[in-house]
């Protein structure tokens, strides 16, 4: 067993060496992401809170389906509304995002620039 700190909380986890046994008992609980899901999630993580329109401008394609998939996976959520014409939804990452990628806080993200097209 391992004790892992995440934000101000601690959780008990199993060692990687017994992963195959756990998978046999409870099934595979890992999250599989497509390239577009990962790209979208990365942009949201670094630019949050962000609207779909802002995200689409960075990616150059419509991100509606990808956003819905990431919401279903509970990696992002609607974190509010932007106070501009139309009040578009703002998207941010969840605590499950942090746990999935082994981060304690968003400050643990690698310090990289996202270049817009």
């Amino acid at each position: 067993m391992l004790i892992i700190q995440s934000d101000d909380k601690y959780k008990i986890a199993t060692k990687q060496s017994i992963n195959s046994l756990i998978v046999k008992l409870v099934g595979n609980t890992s999250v599989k992401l497509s390239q577009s899901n990962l790209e979208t999630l990365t942009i949201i993580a670094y630019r949050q809170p962000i609207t779909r329109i802002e995200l689409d401008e960075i990616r150059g394609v419509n991100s509606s389906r990808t956003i819905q998939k990431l919401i279903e996976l509970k990696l992002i959520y609607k974190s509010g509304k932007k106070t501009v014409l139309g009040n578009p939804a703002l998207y941010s990452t969840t605590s499950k995002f942090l746990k999935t990628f082994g981060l304690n806080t968003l400050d643990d993200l690698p310090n990289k620039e996202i270049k817009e097209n």
Side-chain angles (χ1 to χ4, degrees):
M1 269 201 214
L2 302 170
I3 297 176
I4 301 170
Q5 181 182 0
S6 180
D7 293 325
D8 294 336
K9 301 174 186 174
Y10 292 88
K11 66 179 179 178
I12 298 173
T14 57
K15 291 184 179 181
Q16 185 67 29
S17 59
I18 63 169
N19 186 52
S20 59
L21 177 62
I22 302 285
V23 169
K24 285 179 186 176
L25 292 172
V26 297
N28 191 351
T29 59
S30 64
V31 175
K32 303 244 189 244
L33 297 173
S34 69
Q35 183 67 33
S36 77
N37 288 344
L38 193 55
E39 182 180 285
T40 301
L41 185 56
T42 301
I43 294 167
I44 293 170
Y46 280 94
R47 296 283 179 101
Q48 63 185 304
I50 188 170
T51 67
R52 183 190 56 80
I53 299 297
E54 293 166 337
L55 185 59
D56 291 352
E57 288 175 1
I58 294 169
R59 291 190 67 223
V61 296
N62 186 306
S63 302
S64 296
R65 286 187 179 171
T66 305
I67 287 171
Q68 288 308 314
K69 180 65 174 178
L70 294 172
I71 289 172
E72 288 172 18
L73 293 171
K74 296 182 177 21
L75 294 172
I76 66 169
Y77 72 105
K78 289 183 184 179
S79 57
K81 299 268 186 184
K82 191 166 184 172
T83 53
V84 297
L85 185 62
N87 294 331
L90 290 166
Y91 298 96
S92 298
T93 57
T94 63
S95 59
K96 182 178 178 183
F97 164 80
L98 293 174
K99 291 174 190 173
T100 300
F101 290 94
L103 304 169
N104 290 320
T105 69
L106 291 172
D107 293 332
D108 293 338
L109 285 169
N111 190 13
K112 299 286 182 187
E113 284 284 323
I114 297 176
K115 297 180 182 177
E116 297 182 38
N117 295 335

